[in-house]
Amino acid sequence: MLDPQDWQAFRALAHAALDDAMAYLEGVRERPAWRPVPDEVQARLAEPLPQDPTPLQAVYDEFAQSIMPYHSGNIHPRFFGWVQGSGTPTGALAELLAATMNPNVGGRNHGAVYVERAVIGWFRELFGFPEAASGVLTVGTSAANLIAVLVARTKILGPHVRETGVNIEGGRLIAYTSSATHSCVRRAFEVSGLGSASLRVLGTDSLHRIDPTTVARMIAEDREIGNRPFMVIGNAGTVDVGAIDPLDELAEICAREELWFHVDGAFGATAMMAPSLAPKLRGIERADSIAFDFHKWLQAPYDAGCLLVRDGELHRETFASTPNYLTRMPRGLASAQPWFTDFTLDLSRSFRALKVWFTIKEHGAKRLGEAMEANVRQARLFGDLIDANEAFELLAPVQLNVVCFRYRRDGMNEAELDAGNDEIVIRLQESGEAVVSSTVVSGRRAIRICIVNQRTTDDDVRFTLEAIERIGNELIA
Ligand SMILES: *Cc1c(COP(=O)(O)O)cnc(C)c1O
C-alpha cells in the first residue's frame, strides 16, 4: 500500500538524494557554519496535516530547499558550540541501512541485537569492565545517567523499591557530585523520585574538579545526622571546562564507604581510545557504572549514548519485567535473552548500534583516538593564541578540548564584558563564519569553544579566533 508503485522511479530519486547528501557533506566547508531559518520557511513548514498525497519528488524538493540548508551547524568544521559531534558520511550511510532493516531492538533474536551486544562488548573491553557487566545503548548520556541513578537506587534499597517506591524513613539517600556536573544529573534525581535534595553539590578546586577530601567529610557528616550516602558521581570531562575529577580517589572512597561510583563521561570517557589521554582517566575502570555518548567525540550521528554497569544482574533487576505479550521462548524469534528492554526504560528501540559499529570498524579505535588527540592539540593551540593576545583572557585552564575565555579591553566593566562577549557569540553565529557558545565560569560570562569535531583543522582554530577578535573590535569601535 505504501511502498513505491514504481520502484524504478523510486530508485532514481533515492540515488539522486544520496548524491545530493554526499555532495552536501563534501562541500560543507564552503557553506555557512549556521544560518537562521527564514520566517517564510518557518511559516511554510508549519502547514496543516496533509490529507492528500504529494508526489515524492515534490516532498524531496521541499526538503532540499526548506530544510537541508538550515542544519544546526555541527557538521561544519568551525562548529565549536556546546558539545556536539560532527558525524561522518559513513554514519549517515549506516543510518540509511539501519532504517532499511528497521528492526525493533527491544529484544528477540535477530542481527541488530548481536551488533549492539558487540558494541557494548568493545566498550566493556575499553574500560576494563568484567564479562558480567551489562550495557545498553540510550538516546544519550542524560538517559544513561538516569538509568545509573536508578540502578544505584536498587543497590541500596533492593529490587523491592520498584514496588514500595522511595521513602526517606530510613534516612534520606545522598549522592555527591561537583558543581561542574551536567544539569541532567540533577534532573535524574528529580525524576527518579529521590529528589534533587538527595544530590549534594560540592564546590570545585582551581581546576574545576571535585575535592575528594570534601566528599569524604560530607559522607561522614551525613552518616552522623542519619542520612544514607549511596552514590558518588564523578566527571570524566565536565561540560563547562572539560575537567576530569580525580576518579581514582573517588573510586577509593566509594570502595571504602560502600557507595556506588558512577562516572559521567559523556564526551571524555571515549578519550580512553587515545593513548595520550587515557592516563587522565585513571580510575574510570573502577566505576560501578559509566555513562557516555557515541554522538559526541566518537562522531556517530545523533542520537547514541550508552550506559555500562559492572553488576549486570542488578541492572537487569532494576528494569526487567515479562508481561504475557513479551513471553520469552527457548528458540525462535522470541529467544536470545536477555533483551535490551530489560535494561532500560524503552521497549521499542532503534538500531542505534549500527552507526556506532560502522564508525568503529571503519576507522578503528586508534584513528578515532588520534582524532580526539588532534582536537586536544587544537584546544591547546587556541589557548596559547589567547594567552599571547592582549584582547583576550582565559577564564579556565585548558585541560582537554574545551577553552573558556573572554574578549576584553581596558575600561570595560564586568557588565560590559558580559554583554559584549554574549554579543560576540551571537554575531559570530550570525556571520556564519563559526559557531561558539556561551557559559559562565567562576561567575564570569565566557565564550566557550569545545572541539569534538573531526573536520576541524588548525587553520579553522586560527580563523575563528581572528573572527572573534574582529567582531570584538567592531563592537567597541
Ligand atoms: C552532553 C553531556 C551530557 C548530556 O548528554 P546527552 O547525550 O546530551 O544527553 C551529560 N554530561 C556531560 C558531561 C555532557 O557533556
Side-chain angles (χ1 to χ4, degrees), residues 31-204:
R31 297 191 308 274
W34 177 78
R35 64 175 75 147
V37 183
D39 290 346
E40 66 272 18
V41 171
Q42 294 185 28
R44 206 180 312 140
L45 290 173
E47 65 181 335
L49 172 69
Q51 294 291 347
D52 296 312
T54 307
L56 181 59
Q57 186 66 54
V59 178
Y60 177 72
D61 290 344
E62 186 182 351
F63 167 76
Q65 281 157 28
S66 301
I67 300 173
M68 201 143 176
Y70 307 108
H71 60 75
S72 73
N74 55 312
I75 57 174
H76 194 277
R78 286 191 299 277
F79 185 94
F80 308 117
W82 303 278
V83 192
Q84 299 195 10
S86 51
T88 65
T90 301
L93 181 64
E95 283 287 71
L96 173 66
L97 299 173
T100 303
M101 289 180 73
N102 192 29
N104 183 330
V105 199
R108 308 180 184 86
N109 194 350
H110 51 102
V113 167
Y114 296 96
V115 174
E116 184 160 340
R117 287 184 186 174
V119 166
I120 289 163
W122 293 341
F123 285 85
R124 208 191 270 133
E125 180 186 329
L126 184 73
F127 293 117
F129 265 38
E131 274 296 307
S134 54
V136 68
L137 268 58
T138 60
V139 174
T141 292
S142 302
N145 281 335
L146 170 60
I147 296 171
V149 169
L150 295 172
V151 182
R153 189 192 65 169
T154 306
K155 170 80 177 181
I156 180 96
L157 296 179
H160 69 271
V161 65
R162 293 174 65 175
E163 190 188 328
T164 59
V166 180
N167 71 58
I168 59 171
E169 270 162 33
R172 184 180 267 286
L173 298 185
I174 302 285
Y176 306 84
T177 199
S178 89
S179 55
T181 295
H182 195 278
S183 62
C184 69
V185 170
R186 169 180 294 272
R187 201 162 49 186
F189 277 80
E190 291 166 0
V191 304
S192 66
L194 292 163
S196 59
S198 280
L199 185 65
R200 262 207 216 304
V201 177
L202 309 178
T204 55

Side-chain angles (χ1 to χ4, degrees), residues 74-342:
N74 55 312
I75 57 174
H76 194 277
R78 286 191 299 277
F79 185 94
F80 308 117
W82 303 278
V83 192
Q84 299 195 10
S86 51
T88 65
T90 301
L93 181 64
E95 283 287 71
L96 173 66
L97 299 173
T100 303
M101 289 180 73
N102 192 29
N104 183 330
V105 199
R108 308 180 184 86
N109 194 350
H110 51 102
V113 167
Y114 296 96
V115 174
E116 184 160 340
R117 287 184 186 174
V119 166
I120 289 163
W122 293 341
F123 285 85
R124 208 191 270 133
E125 180 186 329
L126 184 73
F127 293 117
F129 265 38
E131 274 296 307
S134 54
V136 68
L137 268 58
T138 60
V139 174
T141 292
S142 302
N145 281 335
L146 170 60
I147 296 171
V149 169
L150 295 172
V151 182
R153 189 192 65 169
T154 306
K155 170 80 177 181
I156 180 96
L157 296 179
H160 69 271
V161 65
R162 293 174 65 175
E163 190 188 328
T164 59
V166 180
N167 71 58
I168 59 171
E169 270 162 33
R172 184 180 267 286
L173 298 185
I174 302 285
Y176 306 84
T177 199
S178 89
S179 55
T181 295
H182 195 278
S183 62
C184 69
V185 170
R186 169 180 294 272
R187 201 162 49 186
F189 277 80
E190 291 166 0
V191 304
S192 66
L194 292 163
S196 59
S198 280
L199 185 65
R200 262 207 216 304
V201 177
L202 309 178
T204 55
D205 66 13
S206 61
L207 290 177
H208 301 257
R209 300 171 307 186
I210 199 167
D211 172 17
T213 323
T214 310
V215 176
R217 198 184 68 237
M218 293 307 299
I219 291 170
E221 283 180 20
D222 271 314
R223 290 205 199 281
E224 225 170 85
I225 59 173
N227 284 330
R228 295 176 77 184
F230 82 113
M231 186 179 197
V232 172
I233 298 141
N235 288 292
T238 59
V239 61
D240 266 338
V241 308
I244 299 171
D245 285 330
L247 301 177
D248 209 35
E249 289 170 70
L250 293 180
E252 197 59 44
I253 291 173
C254 288
R256 193 171 64 228
E257 300 283 345
E258 295 184 2
L259 307 190
W260 189 273
F261 180 34
H262 175 69
V263 174
D264 177 344
F267 62 97
T270 52
M272 280 298 276
M273 288 186 178
S276 69
L277 303 175
K280 292 176 187 282
L281 299 167
R282 201 166 52 85
I284 198 170
E285 72 288 346
R286 299 174 69 185
D288 291 297
S289 51
I290 307 173
F292 60 97
D293 278 323
F294 302 112
H295 55 215
K296 287 179 174 170
W297 229 352
L298 274 181
Q299 313 300 342
Y302 284 93
D303 43 39
C306 186
L307 178 71
L308 291 181
V309 179
R310 177 178 302 278
D311 182 344
E313 187 47 30
L314 196 70
H315 186 184
R316 205 187 60 82
E317 281 178 350
T318 303
F319 292 98
S321 62
T322 4
N324 295 337
Y325 44 83
L326 294 179
T327 297
R328 319 294 160 94
M329 291 292 172
R331 300 190 327 278
L333 181 53
S335 62
Q337 289 222 67
W339 290 7
F340 284 113
T341 187
D342 296 336

Side-chain angles (χ1 to χ4, degrees), residues 87-94 122 298-299 354-368 454:
T88 65
T90 301
L93 181 64
W122 293 341
L298 274 181
Q299 313 300 342
L354 190 64
K355 57 201 175 189
V356 181
W357 185 85
F358 258 96
T359 304
I360 293 175
K361 282 192 61 98
E362 182 191 19
H363 298 294
K366 274 194 205 144
R367 195 195 297 168
L368 291 164
Q454 52 94 2

